[in-house]
Amino acid sequence: IKNSQFRFPFRYISKTFLILILLLFYIVNQKEKSVFNYRLVLLALFSFIIGDLVLVGENTTKSFAIGGVFFGIAKAFYIVRFRNKKDFYIKNLLPFLLFCFIYMSLMMNFIYSKLGLYFIPTLIYLFVVLLLGQIAYLRKNEVNNLSYYLVLIGVLFSMASDSIAFLKSFYDSSFFYHKYTIMLFYSLSQYLIVLGILKENNTLVTS
């Protein structure tokens, strides 16, 4: 069907379907010890849904920016959810800091010249992305290994999805089969993060 009148609603449904399923999956299986943590995950998933609804509309830099705001808010909720109140040694963070330096250097090398007015918003968003990565990285020895690696890999997949989206928007509009790879990494990241949260408390329903 070529008529956009029929395609447009389907795009809205298909784009948000995964998160809605994950939201239901989380609600059914969760047994969070903290109501606050439970609400943070719900807020994160709802923010991702709103971001998806914005991005599924017109494919413009403006919609990309607005959607990015809601994605950033969602990641901020995850950051608070995964926060670690215990002290850590800076040497334990050095490998990740090195990774952050390399990642930011490469990203800026490709997209800096075309960012324009979006330079500061992009820096803020990437800071949130890397902060979420840091928080996930520091969960080591604070949760069981399965939960730790599920969340960490999920966050890395999320970074891959974000990176491809930025490169598609500000570097090469046909970058790395973006129509498929962005959604692939995004879907995997959300699933692994939610599954990691459920495994953190060993509450996943198996029947």
Side-chain angles (χ1 to χ4, degrees):
I1 301 174
K2 294 183 178 181
N3 193 332
S4 61
Q5 180 180 356
F6 296 97
R7 289 187 300 169
F8 192 68
F10 176 75
R11 289 179 65 198
Y12 273 96
I13 295 172
S14 61
K15 184 70 173 178
T16 58
F17 184 71
L18 169 69
I19 305 300
L20 289 173
I21 292 296
L22 280 177
L23 181 62
L24 180 61
F25 181 63
Y26 173 72
I27 292 173
V28 169
N29 288 282
Q30 72 82 29
K31 289 183 180 179
E32 293 274 13
K33 298 177 182 178
S34 167
V35 175
F36 181 63
N37 284 344
Y38 170 66
R39 291 174 178 172
L40 285 170
V41 177
L42 293 184
L43 288 170
L45 293 175
F46 275 121
S47 297
F48 277 118
I49 290 173
I50 297 173
D52 281 334
L53 291 174
V54 172
L55 291 174
V56 83
E58 296 182 3
N59 187 21
T60 63
T61 306
K62 182 178 180 180
S63 64
F64 179 77
I66 296 173
V69 169
F70 285 101
F71 273 55
I73 291 172
K75 292 175 188 294
F77 285 130
Y78 273 152
I79 288 170
V80 179
R81 169 60 181 81
F82 295 133
R83 69 198 183 283
N84 184 357
K85 296 181 179 179
K86 295 185 178 181
D87 294 332
F88 61 89
Y89 294 105
I90 190 65
K91 67 178 182 179
N92 295 334
L93 195 55
L94 288 178
F96 186 79
L97 291 177
L98 177 60
F99 167 78
C100 289
F101 174 76
I102 295 173
Y103 173 80
M104 285 295 291
S105 298
L106 289 174
M107 285 296 294
M108 286 296 108
N109 180 61
F110 285 112
I111 67 176
Y112 174 76
S113 61
K114 294 185 179 180
L115 287 176
L117 295 175
Y118 292 97
F119 176 69
I120 298 300
T122 297
L123 281 184
I124 294 173
Y125 185 85
L126 290 178
F127 172 77
V128 173
V129 168
L130 292 175
L131 183 58
L132 176 57
Q134 174 186 312
I135 296 298
Y137 179 77
L138 290 175
R139 292 172 74 241
K140 183 72 172 177
N141 299 324
E142 299 300 324
V143 296
N144 62 71
N145 284 336
L146 180 58
S147 173
Y148 174 76
Y149 285 110
L150 284 172
V151 169
L152 183 61
I153 295 171
V155 169
L156 291 175
F157 280 167
S158 178
M159 291 179 66
S161 177
D162 289 332
S163 299
I164 296 170
F166 273 108
L167 290 167
K168 182 268 294 187
S169 297
F170 298 106
Y171 176 65
D172 181 357
S173 59
S174 61
F175 183 80
F176 196 49
Y177 304 99
H178 65 86
K179 291 183 179 180
Y180 307 102
T181 52
I182 290 176
M183 193 60 193
L184 174 63
F185 284 118
Y186 174 68
S187 302
L188 288 173
S189 72
Q190 292 296 340
Y191 173 71
L192 291 174
I193 290 173
V194 169
L195 187 61
I197 292 173
L198 294 174
K199 290 294 186 179
E200 179 179 322
N201 298 307
N202 295 317
T203 60
L204 184 61
V205 175
T206 56
S207 59

